Amino acid sequence: AAARARLAHESATSDLKRIEYLKEQGVVSAQALEQARVRAAGATAQYQGILDQEKMARARYEQAKAALELARSQLNNATIIAPVAGIVTALPVEVGQMVSPGVPVATIVDMDQVKINLNATEKDIIHLRAGEEVKVKVLSLDREFKGELSAVALAADARTRAFLVEVTLPNDGHVIKPGMFAEVELKTQVVSNVLAIEREAIIQEGSKPIVFVVKDNKAYVKEIMLGLINDHLAQVIAGLDEVDMLVLKGQQYLSDGMPVSVVAGGEGQ
């Protein structure tokens, strides 16, 4: 249709030019010239109309092509691929539900390895290094695991003033579940060849730690200075000698200078 209209337009235009020339020569009448002009204008209008239709059709094609690409993209996005491997523990949306970008549609947990986040004080953080081995006790399982200090914060949290520490440990058999409570033993300082006593021997008198020692069958108070302390032992920096006989039980009932008797095992009564 466009080719025929173009040929008709070119033919009518050529005829008009020829008749205009003949009119100048006085060969054709004014009526013949007017008829040629009408035919040329009609052919031109028809040809232009077809060109406009083609232009509109091309625009509709481009719109349809863009809509198709968008539909294909949406179809591809309809299949959600998890960025990590793991176990799906929660599906907070329903089938057919409309969700907005950024809304979680699933919770995935990697159970092969677990992480424990804890806070360390500025006193302890200077002794911690990433890569160190740590002991982890999961209370509900009543088991101990070996983990690794995987990350140590370089700066304190602005709100809590504590330093975030991350511990990573393998989870063979997936026995450790997310949300369980654990106790982590960190080595902040290690000392050797020091005087250490059992923590149960220490009594806190105000802000001063004291112990009772037995000498000449009497109990005497000794104020001590403590160093490092763990769950069972306390380092004694000053105030106690290695030869002192320490009272481990019943010291809360004693007073300075009270007579006592030593029973088997070396404990005072």
Side-chain angles (χ1 to χ4, degrees), residues 21-29:
Y21 174 76
L22 294 176
K23 178 65 173 65
E24 290 175 359
Q25 301 299 319
V27 177
V28 297
S29 64

Side-chain angles (χ1 to χ4, degrees), residues 59-75:
R60 288 195 296 269
Y61 167 75
E62 293 298 332
Q63 291 177 351
K65 183 179 179 181
L68 177 61
E69 292 299 325
L70 177 60
R72 284 175 175 169
S73 176
Q74 292 175 337
L75 179 61

